[in-house]
Amino acid sequence: MALARARRGETPFNYWPGFVDALSTLVLSVVFLLTVFLVVQFFLSQEVTGKDKALEQLNAKIAQLNDMLSLEKLGKLSLDDQVSQLRAGLASAEAERDRVKGLYEGLAGAGSDAQGRANELNKALDSEKAVSARALAQIEVLNQQISALRRQLAALEEALDASEKRDKESQSRIADLGQRLNVALAQRVQELSRYRSEFFGRLRTILGNRPDIRIVGDRFVFQSEVFFDTGQATLLPEGRAELDKLATALIDLDKQIPSEIAWVLRVDGHTDVRPINSPVFKSNWDLSAARAISVVQYLVSLGVPPQRLVAAGFGEFQPLDTAPTEEAYKRNRRIELKLTER
């Protein structure tokens, strides 16, 4: 009986403390896991925020480069290609960022895979950093190319300024030469005028005061009847005699006038307005030119230098008198001699 009472007095086994310990351990494990997850989530948020800022800085630098590149016309195509490559790299970086964000959002519903996703994010961030480093290197290369282009532009501007300066100097020299040339020409004209006056004075003395030879302005005018028969271009003996006197004066004049003065004696043939009816000459133009050539050829045969003679035919188109009378027709049929410049 005493043994039975002793056994009834013993305390039964208590499981509650062990259960509490196990439950506390489980709670602490859960809290630890949640703490690890929150820490990982915080660091991932910091990394993503830093990556976004880096991308914004890259975008700002690229926009600045685009503005600078728009001012550089030389090398535009190659620079545009490089900018396109940078944009493609940024597009891939943004795609990678979106993928990282997707991974981050997936972490919220998959705490058990946090460590593996964290490794993937670290690899993605390393890749992003490598892309950013390459982009910065390309930006540095672009800056160097822009500096080189600016130096080339400066050199071109200097060359252009020098060319404009030389052009202004050339224009000044040309203007000065033009003034000198005008002065020289004026002097030559004065000299030729003096010799023309002397020649006309001497020719007037030689030819005498004949009614069929007169002076009109700066020309000696011979009636055609002095040299030719009607409708003919063969010189008459009387005309040859007058041309002999003229040739002597011309030969003397050629010796007096300096060789640098380009003078010529122009022989002009003129007819009246009435049409010619001849098998030899088809028009008055032909007749007037043939008469002028006959005079020139005879002067050359007398020793006058041929380079000092010019033959011209005017036909009936330069009349002295437009009246339809025999007297007017006679005045218009003429040979004119004019000492002028070549």
Side-chain angles (χ1 to χ4, degrees):
M1 292 294 291
L3 181 58
R5 284 195 298 271
R7 288 179 178 177
R8 284 194 298 270
E10 289 179 359
T11 304
F13 181 75
N14 190 358
Y15 295 97
W16 179 253
F19 177 74
V20 169
D21 291 338
L23 183 62
S24 299
T25 301
L26 180 60
V27 169
L28 289 175
S29 299
V30 171
V31 169
F32 176 73
L33 289 175
L34 290 175
T35 303
V36 170
F37 174 74
L38 290 175
V39 169
V40 171
Q41 185 179 15
F42 172 75
F43 282 110
L44 288 176
S45 299
Q46 292 295 322
E47 289 292 334
V48 171
T49 302
K51 177 180 64 58
D52 290 336
K53 291 181 179 179
L55 287 175
E56 290 177 358
Q57 292 176 357
L58 284 176
N59 287 327
K61 289 182 178 181
I62 289 174
Q64 183 179 6
L65 282 175
N66 286 330
D67 293 337
M68 294 173 66
L69 288 174
S70 63
L71 300 177
E72 305 297 335
K73 294 181 179 179
L74 299 175
K76 184 175 181 296
L77 295 177
S78 61
L79 294 179
D80 288 342
D81 292 338
Q82 293 180 2
V83 171
S84 299
Q85 293 177 1
L86 285 176
R87 289 179 176 174
L90 286 175
S92 62
E94 290 178 352
E96 188 65 24
R97 182 195 62 185
D98 295 337
R99 190 175 69 83
V100 171
K101 285 185 178 179
L103 292 174
Y104 168 72
E105 292 175 356
L107 287 175
S112 59
D113 298 333
Q115 188 64 37
R117 298 291 178 87
N119 293 332
E120 291 182 2
L121 286 175
N122 286 330
K123 292 179 180 179
L125 288 174
D126 291 338
S127 176
E128 186 73 19
K129 289 179 180 178
V131 171
S132 299
R134 288 196 300 270
L136 289 174
Q138 290 179 352
I139 290 171
E140 182 63 26
V141 172
L142 290 176
N143 287 332
Q144 293 177 1
Q145 292 179 351
I146 290 172
S147 299
L149 288 175
R150 286 179 175 173
R151 289 193 295 270
Q152 291 178 359
L153 287 175
L156 288 175
E157 289 179 355
E158 291 178 359
L160 182 61
D161 293 338
S163 177
E164 290 178 351
K165 184 177 179 181
R166 288 194 299 270
D167 185 55
K168 290 180 180 178
E169 292 177 354
S170 299
Q171 299 235 342
S172 300
R173 291 178 181 175
I174 290 172
D176 185 42
L177 288 175
Q179 292 178 356
R180 293 181 181 179
L181 181 60
N182 291 332
V183 172
L185 288 176
Q187 291 176 352
R188 291 291 183 269
V189 170
Q190 290 177 358
E191 290 181 8
L192 184 60
S193 298
R194 178 171 61 84
Y195 287 116
R196 182 190 295 120
S197 299
E198 294 178 0
F199 173 70
F200 279 1
R202 184 174 178 183
L203 196 60
R204 185 184 296 111
T205 302
I206 292 174
L207 297 177
N209 295 323
R210 294 183 53 172
D212 50 1
I213 301 175
R214 62 187 185 276
I215 298 176
V216 179
D218 58 350
R219 296 164 294 167
F220 265 94
V221 179
F222 295 80
Q223 295 306 129
S224 294
E225 288 76 7
V226 177
F227 298 111
F228 308 101
D229 287 331
T230 303
Q232 300 297 321
T234 303
L235 283 169
L236 297 172
E238 296 84 358
R240 292 174 184 269
E242 298 298 334
L243 291 178
D244 291 341
K245 303 174 185 178
L246 176 63
T248 302
L250 281 175
I251 293 172
D252 292 341
L253 181 68
D254 185 55
K255 295 177 182 179
Q256 296 175 11
I257 298 180
S259 59
E260 62 269 14
I261 298 179
W263 67 273
V264 292
L265 180 70
R266 198 178 77 189
V267 180
D268 300 336
H270 299 266
T271 66
D272 58 37
V273 73
R274 292 176 297 183
I276 188 172
N277 184 11
S278 171
V280 180
F281 305 108
K282 297 180 180 180
S283 66
N284 285 325
W285 231 334
D286 293 341
L287 177 60
S288 63
R291 287 178 170 179
I293 292 173
S294 294
V295 173
V296 167
Q297 289 176 341
Y298 185 72
L299 291 175
V300 171
S301 68
L302 295 177
V304 178
Q307 66 270 18
R308 299 300 186 186
L309 298 171
V310 176
F314 290 88
E316 70 271 22
F317 303 105
Q318 300 291 332
L320 296 177
D321 193 341
T322 57
T325 63
E326 287 297 331
E327 184 65 25
Y329 295 154
K330 183 178 180 181
R331 291 189 61 199
N332 292 334
R333 294 191 303 269
R334 65 196 188 277
I335 295 292
E336 293 184 355
L337 304 178
K338 180 177 180 181
L339 191 66
T340 183
E341 291 182 285
R342 186 173 59 230

